[in-house]
Amino acid sequence: MKKTGLAILIAAAFAASLTGCQKQEKQAANGETGSLKKVTFVLDWTPNTNHTGLYVAQEKGYFKDAGLSVEIVQPPEDGAEVLVASGKADFGMSFQDTMAPALVGDDALPITAVAAVIQHNTSGIISRKGEGMASPKGLEGKKYATWDNPVEKAMIKDVMESDGGDFSKVEMIPSTVTDEVSALKTKSVDAIWIFYAWAGIKMDLEGLDTDYFAFKDINPVFDYYTPVIIAGNDFLERDPETARAFLGALSKGYEDAVKNPEEAAEILLKAAPELDEKLVMKSQKYLADQYQADVDVWGYIDPERWNRFYNWLNEKGLSKAEIPENTGFSNDYLPQ
């Protein structure tokens, strides 16, 4: 009886051990760490207030509650899109305008925008106050710091012509701007394309009086989505439930940043202590009204607005191949 009992115990222990090994192997194959599934998110740039919801969700355990272990990594030189498309990252941050070349043609990347971080385009042109550049026409004869991007230049041409201006009269200076405030103060340039939530707030904090116009206020076509969360198409097809779990947890992070921007700013500063505290605090308060704005669910992408911008690219010949309607985005993975 004792030998039989011992044999049963050994067999049971072996079976439990085998089951545990099989479970670990399955978790490893699925990218899981312990009981949590590993997800990799690649930023578009160094940490800033566009990313706050990500860090809030991490700090408050929303990812863990969703069964996820999220690793946040810096982007490579060729950007988040390539890393996500290759499957080396599950999610990343991109922009509707810079995504466009990756969506069509022979070298298209298998990526999809699955959430809008901010509901409206907060970018525009900033200049020193009182020098005539409060509206686009005023850029005539002025030095503009350009990235020499065809879409960038076409947008400036569009808003200038709608204001009665002549784009050919703008002095295009190759952009080497690393500090927008210094660039304007030293008059190395007269006008810079900025995202107001960061560079515009910084101008104000450093006491530089400026004029500013937003592209979306002049032409609604330019109220496109910037930035957006992207995911790899293979990942979305293979594991839609993990995608939904991730975005569900992430949405809680951004909702918290809307409700309590000061607390959210402190969490971002904890994750990235090298950032300027005053800038982060003021930027966070500005973005609290922008993350969700006029939609019921954080992250929602309006098909009409998405298509309107890509249709404009098509009409202007700014896409290497025509971008079909409803290409490159999905609301299917957002919380319902």
Side-chain angles (χ1 to χ4, degrees):
M1 288 291 294
K2 288 182 180 179
K3 287 183 179 180
T4 302
L6 182 61
I8 292 171
L9 286 173
I10 291 171
F14 178 75
S17 175
L18 181 60
T19 301
C21 290
Q22 288 173 336
K23 184 177 180 182
Q24 289 177 353
E25 287 172 2
K26 184 178 179 182
Q27 287 174 343
N30 290 332
E32 296 178 19
T33 304
S35 60
L36 301 178
K37 186 158 192 176
K38 183 179 177 183
V39 169
T40 302
F41 187 101
V42 57
L43 302 177
D44 58 304
W45 197 247
T46 52
N48 58 66
T49 46
N50 280 346
H51 310 134
T52 304
L54 184 67
Y55 289 101
V56 172
Q58 186 86 294
E59 174 70 16
K60 291 195 169 185
Y62 296 149
F63 291 133
K64 187 177 181 181
D65 292 344
L68 306 175
S69 171
V70 176
E71 180 185 13
I72 303 169
V73 299
Q74 293 293 313
E77 286 187 9
D78 50 3
E81 294 87 355
V82 173
L83 210 61
V84 170
S86 69
K88 293 178 181 176
D90 303 301
F91 293 93
M93 194 165 282
S94 184
F95 309 84
Q96 187 185 351
D97 53 341
T98 57
M99 271 182 71
L103 296 177
V104 290
D106 294 336
D107 54 351
L109 298 176
I111 56 174
T112 296
V114 291
V117 176
I118 296 169
Q119 273 300 306
H120 296 284
N121 183 357
T122 62
S123 72
I125 302 296
I126 201 161
S127 59
R128 291 178 297 274
K129 191 171 184 64
E131 296 189 11
M133 289 167 279
S135 68
K137 187 179 187 302
L139 293 175
E140 291 182 349
K142 299 298 196 298
K143 293 181 290 186
Y144 166 74
T146 179
W147 303 299
D148 198 30
N149 179 287
V151 174
E152 166 207 13
K153 292 188 286 188
M155 286 177 61
I156 294 172
K157 184 175 187 288
D158 185 287
V159 296
M160 285 189 71
E161 289 179 349
S162 71
D163 194 34
D166 184 348
F167 175 71
S168 68
K169 294 181 180 179
V170 180
E171 186 180 350
M172 309 295 275
I173 304 295
S175 180
T176 56
V177 174
T178 56
D179 183 338
E180 296 88 352
V181 177
S182 296
L184 290 184
K185 280 185 174 180
T186 60
K187 299 191 176 182
S188 59
V189 296
D190 300 316
I192 307 171
W193 184 323
I194 65 160
F195 286 88
Y196 195 85
W198 195 258
I201 298 296
K202 187 177 180 182
M203 299 278 181
D204 186 44
L205 283 173
E206 298 201 20
L208 181 62
D209 291 333
T210 58
D211 284 323
Y212 175 78
F213 63 83
F215 288 105
K216 70 177 179 62
D217 293 341
I218 297 165
N219 187 342
V221 164
F222 301 141
D223 194 15
Y224 54 83
Y225 289 96
T226 177
V228 293
I229 305 296
I230 59 171
N233 294 349
D234 291 343
F235 165 71
L236 292 174
E237 185 176 349
R238 183 181 70 253
D239 202 351
E241 291 311 309
T242 295
R244 291 188 180 97
F246 174 82
L247 288 174
L250 184 62
S251 68
K252 291 179 182 178
Y254 278 102
E255 287 164 4
D256 282 3
V258 170
K259 294 172 187 173
N260 195 337
E262 288 189 5
E263 179 193 46
E266 288 169 358
I267 290 172
L268 176 60
L269 287 164
K270 179 180 176 182
E274 70 277 7
L275 296 177
D276 180 272
E277 182 178 356
K278 289 182 180 178
L279 176 56
V280 168
M281 282 290 177
K282 193 162 184 178
S283 174
Q284 203 64 67
K285 289 176 182 177
Y286 172 85
L287 283 177
D289 295 329
Q290 304 296 326
Y291 289 132
Q292 195 165 333
D294 45 14
V295 295
D296 294 331
V297 176
W298 172 86
Y300 178 75
I301 296 172
D302 179 2
E304 182 180 347
R305 280 174 49 206
W306 182 276
N307 289 325
R308 189 166 58 197
F309 179 65
Y310 281 171
N311 287 338
W312 180 82
L313 293 184
N314 291 337
E315 291 165 10
K316 299 295 182 181
L318 293 167
S319 177
K320 57 191 174 183
E322 185 165 318
I323 306 173
E325 291 267 305
N326 301 318
T327 294
F329 81 97
S330 174
N331 289 310
D332 293 347
Y333 305 93
L334 294 172
Q336 302 299 313

